[in-house]
Amino acid sequence: MPVVPLLARLTAPLAWRSPRRNVERLLLFARAERNTLVELEQAANGTGDPARAAAYLVHAADEGRHAAMFVARARRIAEAAGLPAPASPHTDTAWLFATLGEPRFLAFVHHGEGRGRRQFEGYRDRLDDPATSAMFAAIVEDELRHETYAGELLAVASDAPAREVRAARLWEAWRTLRTVQRGLAGRMFALAVLLLVPLLLPLAAFTRRVRPTSAGWT
């Protein structure tokens, strides 16, 4: 079995172990889908091929529908658990089409949709929540269609589609590494502050004792 669905199956009981975690995870998926929608709309505006533009817009509409499904499911789970109703996640963009160029953008879409499909298949088959499993089952069908069309368009747009897919994977790995590094840097800064506070307290007390009067240093 491929690694992604295997990990999804193995980690499902931990990843979906509480209503609060379930809501948080569904909102993360919703945000990812909405970000993809934005990227696809940019691609539709950037491509010079009307057929590809139409395909991107159809895909974008699917991503918007998936995001709405994830948010709706998160809100139902939150309501049943007595949690606050979650807000819709915000969107951002990495300007993938402009950054990668169209062939590599298609390779990125083909690879990303396949990875997402395999992950959702793992959740679909392992979750104890029938409603959430059914949602993933419906989305998996769309992900397979997206994976297929992107691969077909890539084969036309590039003379070396396999090379483009490998490059897209490497670029994604590099971007993920940068994200992890930034997250670790933030955590290390917070840890450093926590460690330095006890050391700075005596200095703060000393500076209060020698603080100048309001008249100044005279």
Side-chain angles (χ1 to χ4, degrees):
M1 177 181 293
V3 173
V4 172
L6 178 60
L7 288 176
R9 289 170 185 268
L10 292 176
T11 60
L14 293 176
W16 301 85
R17 65 178 181 269
S18 71
R20 188 178 299 277
R21 286 292 299 272
N22 296 353
V23 168
E24 292 172 353
R25 185 166 291 271
L26 289 169
L27 292 177
L28 286 175
F29 287 144
R31 181 181 179 186
E33 299 284 327
R34 293 183 64 176
N35 289 348
T36 303
L37 181 154
V38 173
E39 301 289 353
L40 289 163
E41 288 180 339
Q42 292 172 354
N45 289 328
T47 184
D49 186 280
R52 288 200 289 268
Y56 295 149
L57 291 176
V58 170
H59 185 174
D62 288 341
E63 298 297 306
R65 180 165 47 84
H66 297 167
M69 292 168 66
F70 283 129
V71 172
R73 186 65 194 142
R75 287 174 176 167
R76 292 192 188 99
I77 292 174
E79 182 180 8
L83 299 172
S88 295
H90 68 276
T91 59
D92 52 31
T93 178
W95 303 97
L96 293 177
F97 187 85
T99 300
L100 300 176
E102 190 156 21
R104 195 151 298 172
F105 173 79
L106 284 166
F108 186 86
V109 172
H110 174 69
H111 165 64
E113 294 294 315
R115 174 174 42 74
R117 171 184 59 80
R118 291 186 290 272
Q119 181 182 15
F120 290 167
E121 285 174 343
Y123 292 145
R124 174 199 64 189
D125 298 337
R126 189 71 191 276
L127 292 181
D128 293 330
D129 179 355
T132 304
S133 294
M135 179 189 66
F136 278 121
I139 293 175
V140 160
E141 295 182 6
D142 290 338
E143 301 291 272
L144 177 59
R145 179 162 46 82
H146 301 157
E147 179 186 5
T148 301
Y149 98 84
E152 292 172 349
L153 291 182
L154 174 62
V156 175
S158 173
D159 295 330
R163 183 183 64 197
E164 295 291 356
V165 171
R166 287 194 297 271
R169 287 173 176 168
L170 288 174
W171 185 85
E172 182 187 42
W174 175 82
R175 188 176 69 159
T176 301
L177 179 61
R178 290 292 300 274
T179 301
V180 171
Q181 287 176 334
R182 286 194 294 268
L184 288 176
R187 291 185 178 88
M188 291 299 294
F189 176 78
L191 179 60
V193 170
L194 290 175
L195 292 175
L196 286 173
V197 164
L199 300 177
L200 294 175
L201 286 176
L203 178 60
F206 173 76
T207 57
R208 282 197 297 270
R209 288 197 298 269
V210 300
R211 182 180 299 170
T213 66
S214 59
W217 292 91
T218 58

